[in-house]
Amino acid sequence: MTIPEDTAPAARPRRRFPLGVLMTLLGVGLLLGLAWYLVNHQGKEGAGQAGGRRSPPPTTVGIAQVARADLPVIIEALGTVNASAAATVRPQVSGVLKEILFSEGQPVKAGQTLAVIDPRQFEATLMQATGQRQRDEAQLSNARQMLDRFQTLLAQDSIARQEVDTQAALVKQLEGTVAADKAAETTAKLNLGYSRIVAPISGRAGLRNVDLGNVVSPNDTNGITVITQTTPIDVQFALPQDRIPELTARLSGMADGTSLPVTALDQGRQNTLDTGRFLALDNQVDPQTGTVRAKARFDNSRGALYPSQFVNVQLLLRMEPGALVVPVNAVRHGANGDYVYVVDPAQRTAMLRNVKRGLATADKVQILSGLQAGEQVVTEGADRLKDGAKVNLPGERPGAGAPGGQGGNRRNAGSGQRRPTPAGTP
């Protein structure tokens, strides 16, 4: 039967799911999932910890062997190179500079002519002094002849004694005049010789301070040039006052003609400039620095040392025979003092051991106690080690250490299954 459209029951409206209930259900689901994850993850970690904890991977280190060697006892200091002699070349007479006979920086010898002053005025003065001397010598000769005649007449009682005495006084006066003339002539000769300026010492000439045509005089401050003697040459340095007793005892025990060797190094301590000998020690301590000045002499045959140059000085006091030495970078300092890491080659482990250090050089240090010859100590990679840590020796494949090392995958005890190696583990 057909129901009329106007009499059909009305359609029920659709009910919507509340949004708040949906969010609540979603949150509960997330909490349940998180709880499940945490429970299962902790269970796996507990099982893994029960099976055994993995130790950190071995560290590759550098090693060196403890050895016995003759250790030099050296005093190091900073020194300044000084010329063994230096002279400012100044003229001894005034005049016009006529010639310059040296080159700047040229080696010169003592007595070599370096420059010439116009000599004409000195030649004229010498001629005048010579003429004066010759005239007075002629007068002296005549006065002596007259004195001889007067003495003959006096013997014959033909002349008064007063005339004889007067003539004798005139002879004495002329003798003094001739002596003064000779001195003036000698001075004129010296001045003429001083017109040629010569090198007072052997050495190297510096830069020229005056040019041709200038009037020079003995009062010039800078002079013509400066000559420095560089072969041999000296190095002056300062020594700590607490090393002076040891140094003086060493010097007093040495035979005559022998001296302590001294080495001069460049600023980087890489190249040896020259080797020389200890020369002298000052007689007092500088109260401001607590040091004593000392001097060493070098032949400087190669010219490597230059005046006013800064160098590093090494003074060899003595040799310590048969000292137990290790590289400097093997010794470290901690709260309990100095220590090293000793490597056991069989177990591939590094054991911390306290040591007592002694003398030291630039690359080696003496060990007084704590080590024995033949043992191996860590020189590189010690900052990543702890007492008893596993190590790899140089040249070995990482992880290929002693038994029980961390190389490759390991089987779980009693499971018969391989446990995957965690990411980042060697």
Side-chain angles (χ1 to χ4, degrees), residues 380-424:
E380 297 179 3
D383 53 345
R384 302 189 300 271
L385 296 179
K386 293 183 179 180
D387 189 15
K390 296 292 183 180
V391 296
N392 282 329
L393 301 183
E396 291 183 344
R397 180 176 58 85
Q406 302 300 322
N409 297 331
R410 298 183 301 179
R411 295 181 178 272
N412 293 331
S415 64
Q417 297 180 357
R418 290 185 177 271
R419 185 174 62 183
T421 303

Side-chain angles (χ1 to χ4, degrees), residues 271-326:
N271 301 318
T272 299
L273 300 178
D274 203 351
T275 55
R277 65 189 187 279
F278 185 81
L279 186 62
L281 186 68
D282 201 2
N283 57 0
Q284 59 183 351
V285 177
D286 187 348
Q288 296 182 353
T289 61
T291 58
V292 181
R293 293 186 304 169
K295 184 181 290 186
R297 177 154 293 180
F298 298 82
D299 292 336
N300 198 27
S301 58
R302 297 180 300 150
L305 298 177
Y306 213 77
S308 301
Q309 178 184 4
F310 290 101
V311 296
N312 289 293
V313 178
Q314 292 183 347
L315 172 62
L316 179 60
L317 283 180
R318 68 179 191 278
M319 296 294 294
E320 188 72 21
L324 202 65
V325 296
V326 296

